[in-house]
Amino acid sequence: MSKGIDLPKAYEAKQVEDGISATWMQSGFFSPENLPERENRREPFSIILPPPNVTGTLHMGHAVMLAIEDAMVRFARMSGKNAVWIPGTDHAAIATESKVEKMLIEKEGKTRHDLGREAFLRRVEAFAKESHDTIVNQMKKMGASVDWSREAYTLDEKRHDAVNTAFLRMYKDGLIYRGYRVINWDPVGKTAVSDEEVEYKEGTATLYTFRYGKDVPIAISTTRPETKVGDTAIAVHPDDPRYQAFIGKEFDVAFAGTTLHLRVIADACVDREFGTGALGVTPAHSLADADLAHVHELPMIQVIDESAHMTQEAGTLVAGKSTLEARALVIEWLREEGLLLGEEEVSQNLSYAQRSGGVIEPLPKEQWFIDVNKSFHFRNSTRHPIDGVEDGQEVSLKSLMQHVVRSGQIKIIPDRFSKTYFHWIDHLRDWNISRQIWFGHRLPVWYRNTEVKVSVTKPEGEGWERDPDTLDTWFSSGLWTFSTLGWPNESSPDLLAYHPTTVMETGYDILFFWVARMILMSTYLLGEIPFETVYLHGLVLDEEGRKMSKSLGNVLNPLDMIDRYGADATRLSLLIGSTPGNDMKISEEKVAGFRNFTNKLWNISRFVFLSVDDVKSIEKPPVPKTLADRWILGRFSEVEKKVTHHFEAHEFSFLGETLRDFTWNEFADWYLEIAKIEKGKEEILLYILERLLLLWHPFMPFVTEELSKNFGKGLALIAPWPVAEYALASIDQQAMMELQEIITAIRSVRSTYHVNSQVMLDIVVDGLLSPDVEPLVKSLAKVASISSFQGEKPAQAAVVLVGEMEIYVKLEGFIDVQKEITHVEEELAEAKRYMQLLEQKLGNTAFVEHAPAAVVEEERAKREATFDRIQKLEQSLHHLSHV
């Protein structure tokens, strides 16, 4: 063993992180089969990495995901579980294809059609490979202990096999069908897009109120008058007294160059408070109106085409025009006919295609869909059956998705997102799974004239052509929890060992888009839940609470933060302050602050290593000799229990705060200071430090691994999780609290009266002071003598209260009381003047209402701080007047 190890005075992350990462990789311990004592690790822990898109580099949102998940899996591994964390990447079909085509246009002036399908796909795959390698390097920099031997890709051969198997099985059960339905259409990217690929931007629009014709007695309101040439009905609420007499009536009316046949229908979905309380129904260009058309058997007339231009069906006035041109023409016609009743500027969420920027147009198209309401005979798992559903029972995909969450078989953290989940699932429409792009899993569908064949291979005979469309990316990622474990091979060792997975950790913004699809796929294809727990983290915002974006210039690159402050500091900044489901603010200053804490842990270890002759592992709890020993061993056991509980409950911020407070305050500020006075604490120092490093390891793996190696027991990565072994007696806790309060109070007197910290003071105690406490008070508070109260207050002494005890701190000869009073009075007057200015500013309604929120908040914080200062100064003045 080493003798008095002398570490460098500061921790240099750059000098150790790459080497530690290489050591972890070489150990093979990220793979569960290589873990020591594998035969005793019977409880599995499995987590599947939400696959980053192969479109670029990782951002802070990915970094918080990696920090949380790595903390989870490191804790599970150290707790003796058979832990596996499976990494992978997502081909992100639309995003990747769009990015590569933009690059192609910018560099070569060509589109994908100029290259042809095969040549273009080779370009996309090369880009995806390069991006993948960048992502892998970034994950290693973060310290992610994923099992790289099990890495997956949503577009690799194994996942392709899984996708085809799932498609064919769903088609056979009648759950996949080809239909003509309204979908989200991107007129720039020329493809259908899913809801999660639609971006909403707040803007303003004009709400127009008009009548279709002079003989139509009902007025409607809309922000898209150009679509009204495709209306087939007017919808009103069945209980709206204004329109009772018109329900069921029909009108034929000449409208803006076409003829409309309108039927007045009644439906409870109509909002009586919006506009006129009547709704123009455009079945071909609104998802909600398409639902109405289905219920009321209304015809569907397409008046907008795939290029966002008006069709011939739109009539002579607007045919061939863009939607914006058509809008202006329809409004002009309404004015000329005297039908326009009003115009009003309103705020509106405008929908855009996330990747191309095109304005989304709801259009009817023949596409492939998954029917979420169709009944089928459920095939329950024999290994992990879903409770409450019988094998062979008739169910729907929607009912399964509702049941497993409502019954508690899948737990969502935080629970409030369960309501969000049910709101989405209860209103779930059939899922459009086909995309008009080239990059992705191609549909296993073949056509010959009017014949349709669903097959992975080309059907026999001449004339068969494969459907050019690809599957929605979410179809393949919906299989992620089990396709990564070997499915469709249902006897795969990984599938048998690790499914259902233990936890799915991801952002709350994709609860519906991805989490719900994984529940759909797993319950249908395996008869199992995909995971037991869903942990949702929030968005990472800048210090002003704004989303990070290049346009705002507020993006923090996790690699930059790691380069400047180290991976551990970066991880801590994302874990401490992160609570489930809540957005969190981050700044470079926050990361820098945690770099300071990382260095603090390093210096604590350095002090301990220098304080002992032999740096060695202490296997059994040392026997305490003093109050401080009993207290620190008991507090450490309490902290270990709390930390373990917080890990099991996924309370990461509480966990980090608990550990930080113990490390910095109790261990460093108190016990290490006492250890300088009371000797013979080497074993306790080593015992606590070794285990403290292990408690920190899941949060800050690099610095703890570097420090732990000095104990000569192998990698912290696979060290057993510490177990609490010492109970703290309440009498010792109270005595230590008394000691801390006394020392803090005496130090406060020094600060208040500007007494030099090295001056030895005399104190008089009115009360009973524990014999264990007295020598520590003298040493830590720089006290020369402690005497008992004799019934008369000492001259020129400050009095402090500790419980029922009064302590007089003699100040005679150390301060000029009158001078101190004058000094405090001047500071107090200045603070009150400043408070008056702040009150005037914050009392100004114009300032509060029009100044930026951050500025107002800053002024309020100043007011609060000034109020605290005034209170402290008044308290000092009170004490001085009684000295």
Side-chain angles (χ1 to χ4, degrees):
M1 296 298 175
S2 303
K3 290 270 188 181
I5 297 173
D6 186 6
L7 298 175
K9 290 184 178 180
Y11 172 63
E12 296 294 341
K14 285 184 180 180
Q15 295 179 13
V16 301
E17 287 183 351
D18 287 346
I20 289 172
S21 183
T23 299
W24 287 335
M25 291 292 291
Q26 290 163 10
S27 74
F29 292 145
F30 292 173
S31 299
E33 47 273 355
N34 297 329
L35 290 172
E37 299 180 346
R38 175 81 189 284
E39 65 280 0
N40 297 324
R41 294 175 179 266
R42 302 194 178 175
E43 184 180 350
F45 177 90
S46 52
I47 181 169
I48 312 295
L49 177 77
N53 295 346
V54 286
T55 51
T57 58
L58 299 184
H59 51 65
M60 275 303 193
H62 293 118
V64 71
M65 172 187 77
L66 291 172
I68 292 172
E69 292 178 23
D70 192 49
M72 286 180 173
V73 78
R74 285 179 185 269
F75 170 68
R77 192 184 288 122
M78 295 172 75
S79 298
K81 295 180 182 178
N82 204 28
V84 65
W85 183 16
I86 298 180
T89 46
D90 193 331
H91 65 286
I94 291 179
T96 308
E97 179 166 309
S98 173
K99 189 157 190 174
V100 174
E101 187 162 23
K102 283 180 182 176
M103 291 164 58
L104 185 65
I105 292 169
E106 290 172 3
K107 293 179 180 179
E108 302 179 32
K110 296 178 181 178
T111 69
R112 59 187 168 116
H113 299 284
D114 294 322
L115 265 65
R117 186 167 193 142
E118 297 306 318
F120 177 73
L121 287 179
R122 285 195 293 272
R123 295 280 188 102
V124 178
E125 286 158 5
F127 169 81
K129 175 66 170 64
E130 183 179 343
S131 179
H132 160 271
D133 293 347
T134 301
I135 289 169
V136 167
N137 177 59
Q138 290 174 314
M139 288 177 64
K140 290 178 179 177
K141 286 284 188 183
M142 278 289 294
S145 59
V146 297
D147 184 355
W148 293 108
S149 70
R150 286 176 164 87
E151 185 183 0
Y153 175 45
T154 53
L155 203 57
D156 63 24
E157 282 302 316
K158 290 181 179 179
R159 264 42 67 179
H160 190 60
D161 182 30
V163 163
N164 285 331
T165 301
F167 190 99
L168 268 60
R169 188 178 296 181
M170 298 183 95
Y171 180 77
K172 184 179 178 181
D173 278 351
L175 299 180
I176 286 183
Y177 67 93
R178 194 182 189 207
Y180 186 70
R181 297 174 61 93
V182 175
I183 50 89
N184 292 319
W185 180 259
D186 173 8
V188 175
K190 296 290 191 297
T191 180
V193 295
S194 58
D195 289 339
E196 60 274 12
E197 289 151 347
V198 176
E199 200 168 69
Y200 296 95
K201 298 178 183 177
E202 192 172 336
T204 58
T206 303
L207 182 69
Y208 299 96
T209 301
F210 59 86
R211 289 190 297 162
Y212 291 96
K214 292 176 182 177
D215 296 330
V216 181
I218 303 175
I220 67 154
S221 298
T222 182
T223 57
R224 297 204 64 190
E226 72 278 10
T227 66
K228 299 296 100 182
V229 294
D231 280 8
T232 57
I234 301 172
V236 298
H237 195 280
D239 299 330
D240 194 330
R242 294 173 292 179
Y243 304 119
Q244 290 289 312
F246 304 111
I247 295 172
K249 291 189 176 296
E250 298 185 5
F251 300 94
D252 289 305
V253 59
F255 182 83
T258 189
T259 301
L260 303 181
H261 178 76
L262 303 170
R263 174 156 58 94
V264 182
I265 62 172
D267 198 288
C269 74
V270 177
D271 182 359
R272 286 187 283 182
E273 303 303 318
F274 176 77
T276 65
L279 174 72
V281 182
T282 321
H285 300 289
S286 162
L287 292 168
D289 289 5
D291 291 342
L292 274 173
H294 177 72
V295 172
H296 296 277
E297 298 181 341
L298 301 174
M300 181 181 286
I301 303 171
Q302 183 176 350
V303 296
I304 300 174
D305 65 17
E306 295 176 0
S307 298
H309 283 69
M310 308 305 288
T311 67
Q312 293 303 309
E313 292 285 338
T316 56
L317 179 67
V318 296
K321 304 295 184 183
S322 72
T323 52
L324 290 178
E325 291 170 333
R327 183 178 304 174
L329 290 170
V330 171
I331 293 302
E332 184 182 355
W333 181 85
L334 288 169
R335 283 200 181 97
E336 290 174 353
E337 295 295 319
L339 298 173
L340 187 62
L341 305 179
E343 300 177 53
E344 179 188 357
E345 288 297 309
V346 295
S347 60
Q348 186 181 52
N349 275 332
L350 305 174
S351 52
Y352 296 86
Q354 192 178 59
R355 303 303 172 183
S356 72
V359 177
I360 292 295
E361 286 290 351
L363 297 180
K365 283 188 68 66
E366 194 164 46
Q367 299 276 286
W368 288 89
F369 295 88
I370 291 179
D371 192 329
V372 297
N373 294 297
K374 183 180 176 64
S375 293
F376 65 94
H377 293 286
F378 179 61
R379 293 181 289 268
N380 213 344
S381 169
T382 56
R383 296 185 311 110
H384 302 285
I386 293 174
D387 294 335
V389 187
E390 298 297 325
D391 194 54
Q393 179 179 332
E394 281 203 0
V395 296
S396 69
L397 295 172
K398 183 187 286 188
S399 69
L400 281 174
M401 296 165 78
Q402 293 164 328
H403 171 72
V404 293
V405 176
R406 187 166 284 123
S407 64
Q409 293 174 72
I410 295 177
K411 180 183 179 183
I412 297 176
I413 301 174
D415 181 64
R416 70 177 186 273
F417 280 97
S418 296
K419 293 180 181 178
T420 307
Y421 176 84
F422 286 121
H423 175 76
W424 283 331
I425 303 305
D426 293 346
H427 297 87
L428 190 61
R429 292 187 175 94
D430 288 357
W431 174 10
N432 170 22
I433 56 172
S434 48
R435 298 290 179 266
Q436 290 65 55
I437 59 175
W438 292 348
F439 186 53
H441 294 279
R442 197 163 176 182
L443 290 170
V445 179
W446 304 79
Y447 305 104
R448 183 171 66 181
N449 300 323
T450 58
E451 291 181 89
V452 180
K453 291 274 188 183
V454 173
S455 171
V456 176
T457 57
K458 186 176 183 180
E460 293 183 4
E462 298 297 322
W464 289 101
E465 290 192 10
R466 191 165 185 175
D467 193 313
D469 289 356
T470 53
L471 278 164
D472 177 17
T473 300
W474 299 98
F475 190 98
S476 53
S477 60
L479 312 176
W480 199 235
T481 66
F482 50 93
S483 69
T484 52
L485 295 173
W487 191 88
N489 175 9
E490 296 190 359
S491 61
S492 160
D494 276 1
L495 190 66
L496 297 175
Y498 298 116
H499 203 272
T501 59
T502 310
V503 62
M504 170 51 62
E505 192 284 330
T506 190
Y508 68 69
D509 51 332
I510 56 173
L511 171 63
F512 171 65
F513 306 130
W514 185 42
V515 173
R517 282 167 167 80
M518 287 188 284
I519 294 173
L520 181 156
M521 289 296 197
S522 182
T523 53
Y524 166 71
L525 290 166
L526 274 70
E528 298 177 357
I529 57 173
F531 26 70
E532 298 163 4
T533 300
V534 178
Y535 178 97
L536 301 170
H537 67 252
L539 303 177
V540 181
L541 309 175
D542 72 5
E543 58 189 328
E544 295 180 24
R546 303 173 301 175
K547 285 187 177 181
M548 293 188 182
S549 70
K550 291 180 180 177
S551 60
L552 291 174
N554 63 346
V555 174
L556 283 186
N557 184 326
L559 278 191
D560 290 343
M561 296 301 99
I562 290 170
D563 183 61
R564 290 172 200 162
Y565 307 109
D568 293 319
T570 304
R571 289 166 62 115
L572 282 178
S573 70
L574 295 165
L575 287 163
I576 298 179
S578 171
T579 53
N582 295 321
D583 297 341
M584 66 175 297
K585 297 178 182 179
I586 193 167
S587 63
E588 185 165 349
E589 289 73 21
K590 184 180 179 183
V591 184
F594 281 109
R595 187 267 314 273
N596 296 339
F597 177 76
T598 306
N599 208 49
K600 177 73 173 180
L601 184 61
W602 179 267
N603 285 324
I604 289 170
S605 303
R606 182 172 184 269
F607 172 82
V608 172
F609 291 160
L610 284 172
S611 300
V612 301
D613 291 331
D614 291 338
V615 176
K616 59 185 178 181
S617 178
I618 308 299
E619 300 297 334
K620 295 180 180 179
V623 177
K625 299 175 183 177
T626 67
L627 166 65
D629 295 345
R630 296 192 298 274
W631 169 75
I632 198 66
L633 287 168
R635 281 295 300 132
F636 180 69
S637 289
E638 288 179 345
V639 165
E640 191 282 327
K641 288 175 184 174
K642 282 186 179 179
V643 168
T644 301
H645 167 75
H646 289 322
F647 258 124
E648 291 169 345
H650 308 306
E651 296 168 344
F652 300 108
S653 190
F654 290 150
L655 188 162
E657 289 162 9
T658 298
L659 262 182
R660 180 179 59 184
D661 289 347
F662 174 82
T663 303
W664 199 308
N665 299 334
E666 295 173 288
F667 190 54
D669 288 353
W670 287 104
Y671 191 72
L672 294 190
E673 290 305 308
I674 292 171
K676 294 174 184 177
I677 301 161
E678 298 180 346
K679 303 303 179 183
K681 301 191 182 302
E682 289 83 355
E683 287 196 353
I684 293 177
L685 290 171
L686 291 170
Y687 175 83
I688 290 178
L689 178 61
E690 181 181 7
R691 285 155 182 79
L692 183 60
L693 294 174
L694 296 181
L695 293 182
W696 272 117
H697 182 74
F699 270 33
M700 17 184 352
F702 288 101
V703 68
T704 55
E705 190 71 79
E706 179 69 10
L707 291 168
S708 292
K709 72 181 183 183
N710 293 291
F711 289 96
K713 288 185 67 177
L715 293 175
L717 174 72
I718 53 166
W721 186 251
V723 177
E725 299 177 275
Y726 191 91
L728 177 61
S730 60
I731 190 170
D732 290 333
Q733 173 75 353
Q734 290 168 2
M736 194 64 191
M737 286 175 62
E738 179 185 275
L739 169 66
Q740 291 170 327
E741 287 179 22
I742 291 170
I743 293 169
T744 302
I746 295 171
R747 287 173 176 173
S748 177
V749 168
R750 285 183 184 274
S751 175
T752 300
Y753 301 118
H754 306 97
V755 179
N756 189 290
S757 62
Q758 299 305 309
V759 168
M760 300 298 288
L761 297 172
D762 297 313
I763 65 172
V764 176
V765 178
D766 185 0
L768 195 60
L769 198 62
S770 167
D772 286 334
V773 166
E774 188 169 319
L776 293 175
V777 170
K778 287 184 175 180
S779 298
L780 295 174
K782 294 289 193 299
V783 170
S785 68
I786 302 175
S787 55
S788 298
F789 184 67
Q790 299 300 320
E792 185 176 343
K793 175 189 168 184
Q796 289 200 1
V799 61
V800 292
L801 298 177
V802 176
E804 297 181 358
M805 186 188 308
E806 286 189 346
I807 299 176
Y808 298 94
V809 182
K810 294 182 178 181
L811 298 173
E812 189 174 4
F814 298 123
I815 64 168
D816 182 331
V817 176
Q818 192 53 52
K819 185 177 179 181
E820 287 294 327
I821 288 174
T822 303
H823 175 71
V824 173
E825 284 178 338
E826 289 173 354
E827 285 193 43
L828 182 60
E830 180 60 34
K832 286 182 175 179
R833 280 194 294 273
Y834 186 51
M835 174 63 89
Q836 190 175 12
L837 291 173
L838 290 170
E839 292 286 8
Q840 288 174 353
K841 197 171 190 178
L842 290 166
N844 184 337
T845 306
F847 168 74
V848 174
E849 290 181 355
H850 297 103
V855 173
V856 175
E857 196 58 39
E858 186 178 349
E859 294 302 305
R860 285 176 176 154
K862 288 178 185 176
R863 179 175 63 182
E864 188 174 339
T866 305
F867 178 77
D868 289 343
R869 176 161 174 72
I870 288 171
Q871 282 194 315
K872 288 177 181 176
L873 288 168
E874 286 177 339
Q875 190 176 28
S876 294
L877 200 59
H878 173 77
H879 287 323
L880 281 165
S881 63
H882 291 81
V883 168

